[in-house]
Amino acid sequence: PTREPQTAAEFYERGTYFFSVRDYDAAIRDYRSAISMQKDFPSAHNRLGRALMAKGQLNSAVEEFRTAIEQQGGNYPAAQYNLGFVLQQQGDFNNALIAYNAAVNQRGGTYPDAFYQIGIILINLQRNKEAEDALRKAISQNGGRDPEAHLALGAVLASEKDYRSEERRVGKECRSRW
């Protein structure tokens, strides 16, 4: 038999297990227990935010991600990305872009998942040229292995009727792999 967690770290660890098996209620309970024992615990706030997001409690998730970022002195790229994702889900595209760009900057300009999400938001805002740039960065930073970004980029180029550019790019990419 296992014993009940005694420390914030043990509650966090058990919460991580529950999160991994998608028992989000138990994960939330344990992350909250960890935070109640240790208020300054940015990774627990970030994980609690992810569990809340999985449960559809987006406003509470936003609060947890912001707390994690604040406790990390503003430099917590994973929490910035998570914050951007929740804000994007809520339709707050401008603040989502701010969060995603902060995540990119905090990782030295390399964050392909953030660039992909930035591209999707920019498509929704009909800022296709900027979306194209972001999606190209996502593809490049993923070594060309990002089918969703390729699909979104193709849609942007098709909407701009820039078929030749995409044909040249894909052709060159295929030739370089052979």
Side-chain angles (χ1 to χ4, degrees):
T2 60
R3 66 175 179 79
E4 187 68 14
Q6 303 295 309
T7 66
E10 289 173 350
F11 275 107
Y12 176 81
E13 204 172 295
R14 190 170 76 176
T16 300
Y17 166 75
F18 284 131
F19 186 86
S20 74
V21 296
R22 298 185 177 156
D23 185 347
Y24 301 121
D25 291 323
I28 289 167
R29 181 195 64 231
D30 281 353
Y31 290 139
R32 284 188 172 144
S33 293
I35 291 167
S36 73
M37 297 174 92
Q38 182 180 328
K39 302 282 185 243
D40 188 20
F41 200 160
S43 55
H45 284 284
N46 184 52
R47 288 289 181 102
L48 175 56
R50 290 185 59 204
L52 291 165
M53 182 173 58
K55 292 282 294 177
Q57 298 173 23
L58 302 184
N59 290 333
S60 296
V62 165
E63 290 176 33
E64 294 302 327
F65 295 135
R66 286 190 170 138
T67 299
I69 294 162
E70 180 184 313
Q71 287 183 353
Q72 202 66 11
N75 188 10
Y76 197 164
Q80 288 283 13
Y81 176 87
N82 291 335
L83 174 61
F85 193 81
V86 172
L87 293 170
Q88 182 179 359
Q89 299 306 307
Q90 292 178 315
D92 186 354
F93 295 146
N94 290 327
N95 284 318
L97 286 171
I98 291 168
Y100 285 136
N101 281 311
V104 167
N105 291 335
Q106 291 167 6
R107 288 192 55 192
T110 304
Y111 207 142
D113 292 339
F115 278 118
Y116 172 76
Q117 296 300 340
I118 289 168
I120 296 304
I121 290 172
L122 292 170
I123 289 170
N124 287 321
L125 296 174
Q126 298 180 349
R127 292 165 49 187
N128 288 347
K129 185 62 182 154
E130 293 169 85
E132 178 184 339
D133 293 341
L135 292 167
R136 287 187 190 282
K137 287 177 184 173
I139 292 167
S140 172
Q141 291 179 6
N142 269 326
R145 295 176 306 276
D146 191 335
E148 292 173 350
H150 278 286
L151 180 63
L153 177 59
V156 167
L157 294 174
S159 73
E160 296 294 310
K161 300 192 179 19
D162 188 2
Y163 306 117
R164 288 202 180 275
S165 172
E166 184 61 4
E167 287 174 8
R168 279 192 307 274
R169 186 190 67 73
V170 170
K172 187 163 81 172
E173 203 173 284
C174 289
R175 283 190 297 280
S176 71
R177 291 178 192 231
W178 294 32

